[in-house]
């Protein structure tokens, strides 16, 4: 069995400590406060492991990070790359939330960009965007109907389109010659007219491609009604173009998604932003929903409640893995006793213990092996039920092929340790 060997540790008040520890084990360091447990684990074993890892990096990276002091120890052997999770307060920016720190919010942004249904913020009707081949399929569904494929034009002179080779338009659904139109009059440029047949797929595709060169919205006149087609979300009733549904639209850290009033911070002059209601996002992002949920409302739910909602969401099969990644990470947060938090909770508002548990949940989902975890009192202030969950998580880290060194006072956790 490979071992971690420490000889002559004299850091701070240590009196020349010698020890051997089995690798791949769950090991508790115990004793009264002030006996040197944390010094031995973090200031000797952890610091030397960090120093050696730094020495293995390229000179340019070492120059940026700067030198690390060698701890007072004669010899250490068998160290693995370290992950140190202490209760020391870490600095987080105002844009960092539980959702962003755990990457759960990143998966949710993908989910809403792919499966979200936008609604018009003015009339509340659902609006849609269609890939170009879907537009062709929709027109082919009008088999036998006579249709006019049009481009709505406002504020542009007819001469521009005459030069492009177009000759006809429609005004109030009546055909007119382009050259006869009064200057400044809105019109619908006639791109094509035909009776829809299945063999006309190529013609329909070419006509749509031509129309989309001049506008992101195509109007199709069929019988006595108008059908609007667009590769971008569009409300024909309000003539409102919606921004493309991309993950950036749902990010309060990106210009595309951040509320323009508070710049994604949720506050203006120390108070909740009236434009976004403290939700950090621009209005268009908040009008995209999966079933009845927008992304900010989901982010405000306690994690234990959000788990129940995620289990009920219906998404296309190709998004099942994204939904499962969200569910897995939420379940880990619940297991470490953080089910009462929400994804929108700022990281800088958490206690030291809460931050430590968020980091532990992140480490478990990463699935690393061959790593040495050094953890400082992970069960302190936890409910007995949550203490048992934390114990299982420490064992899971070990079972993934890692060495887990824990400074601990909880008797049950100590009794479950391998060493």
């Amino acid at each position: 069995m490979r071992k971690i060997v420490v000889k002559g540790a004299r850091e701070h008040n240590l009196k020349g400590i010698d020890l051997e520890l089995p690798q791949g084990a769950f090991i508790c360091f115990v004793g009264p406060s002030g006996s040197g447990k944390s010094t031995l684990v973090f200031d000797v074993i952890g610091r030397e492991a960090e120093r050696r890892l730094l020495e293995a990096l390229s000179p340019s990276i070492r120059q940026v990070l700067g030198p690390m002091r060698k701890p007072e120890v004669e010899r250490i052997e068998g160290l693995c790359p370290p992950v140190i999770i202490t209760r020391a307060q870490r600095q987080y920016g105002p844009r960092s939330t539980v959702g962003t720190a755990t990457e759960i919010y990143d998966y949710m942004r993908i989910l809403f960009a792919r499966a979200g249904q936008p609604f018009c913020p003015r009339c509340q009707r659902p609006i849609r965007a269609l890939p170009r081949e879907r537009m062709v399929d929709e027109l082919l569904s009008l088999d036998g109907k006579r249709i006019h494929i049009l481009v709505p034009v406002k504020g542009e002179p007819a001469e521009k389109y005459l030069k492009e080779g177009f000759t006809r338009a429609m005004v109030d659904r009546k055909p007119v010659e382009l050259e006869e139109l009064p200057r400044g009059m809105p019109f619908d440029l006639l791109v094509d007219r035909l009776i829809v047949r299945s063999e006309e797929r190529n013609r329909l595709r070419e006509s749509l491609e031509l129309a989309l060169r001049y506008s992101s919205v195509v109007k199709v006149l069929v019988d006595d009604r108008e059908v609007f087609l667009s590769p971008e979300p569009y409300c024909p009733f309000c003539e409102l173009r919606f921004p493309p549904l991309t993950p950036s639209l749902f990010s309060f850290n990106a210009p595309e998604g951040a509320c323009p009033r508070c710049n994604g911070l949720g506050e203006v002059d120390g108070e909740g932003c009236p434009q976004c209601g403290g939700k950090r996002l621009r209005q268009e992002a908040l009008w995209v929903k999966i079933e009845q949920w927008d992304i900010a409302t989901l982010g405000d739910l306690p994690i234990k409640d959000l788990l129940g909602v995620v289990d009920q969401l219906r998404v296309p099969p190709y998004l099942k893995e994204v939904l499962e990644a969200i569910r897995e990470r939420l379940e880990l947060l619940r297991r470490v006793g953080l089910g009462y938090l929400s994804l929108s909770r700022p990281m800088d508002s958490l206690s030291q213990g809460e931050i430590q548990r968020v980091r532990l949940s992140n480490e478990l989902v990463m699935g690393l092996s061959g790593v040495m975890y050094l953890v400082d009192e992970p069960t302190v202030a936890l409910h007995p039920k949550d203490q048992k969950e934390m114990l299982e998580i420490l064992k899971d880290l070990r079972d993934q092929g890692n060495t887990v060194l824990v400074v601990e006072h909880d008797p049950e956790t100590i009794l479950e340790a391998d060493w």
Side-chain angles (χ1 to χ4, degrees), residues 188-254:
D188 293 327
L189 183 68
L190 180 60
V191 175
D192 198 0
R193 59 182 177 180
L194 70 156
I195 295 176
V196 178
R197 297 280 187 265
S198 58
E199 59 269 21
E200 299 285 5
R201 172 177 282 272
N202 287 339
R203 179 176 173 180
L204 288 170
R205 184 187 294 113
E206 291 170 0
S207 296
L208 285 171
E209 290 287 350
L210 180 59
L212 289 169
R213 283 175 50 190
Y214 298 98
S215 172
S216 61
V217 179
V218 179
K219 181 191 290 188
V220 179
L221 187 62
V222 50
D223 296 334
D224 293 329
R225 63 190 178 97
E226 296 173 339
V227 176
F228 290 87
L229 304 174
S230 176
E232 300 173 4
Y234 175 74
C235 176
F237 303 96
C238 303
E239 297 186 349
L240 178 68
R241 286 182 175 84
F242 218 76
L245 295 190
T246 65
S248 295
L249 178 64
F250 304 96
S251 173
F252 44 79
N253 290 318

Side-chain angles (χ1 to χ4, degrees), residues 1 30 55 89 105 122 136 143 168 184 196 313 327 335 398:
M1 176 186 293
V30 304
E55 288 295 317
Q89 189 70 44
Y105 192 73
R122 295 178 186 170
V136 176
D143 187 53
R168 296 178 66 80
V196 178
L313 289 181
R327 195 205 65 76
R335 286 183 63 193
R398 174 203 60 193

Side-chain angles (χ1 to χ4, degrees), residues 315-330:
V315 299
Y318 70 91
L319 289 173
K320 292 291 186 183
E321 289 186 11
V322 176
L323 199 64
E324 180 56 30
I326 293 172
R327 195 205 65 76
E328 179 187 9
R329 285 161 171 78
L330 290 173

Side-chain angles (χ1 to χ4, degrees), residues 392-419:
E392 291 305 312
I393 284 176
L394 296 173
K395 290 181 177 180
D396 286 347
L397 287 173
R398 174 203 60 193
D399 294 343
Q400 289 176 357
N402 303 298
T403 303
V404 182
L405 310 183
V406 179
V407 173
E408 187 56 88
H409 289 119
D410 175 58
E412 184 174 346
T413 304
I414 293 168
L415 288 172
E416 290 288 332
D418 301 319
W419 197 263

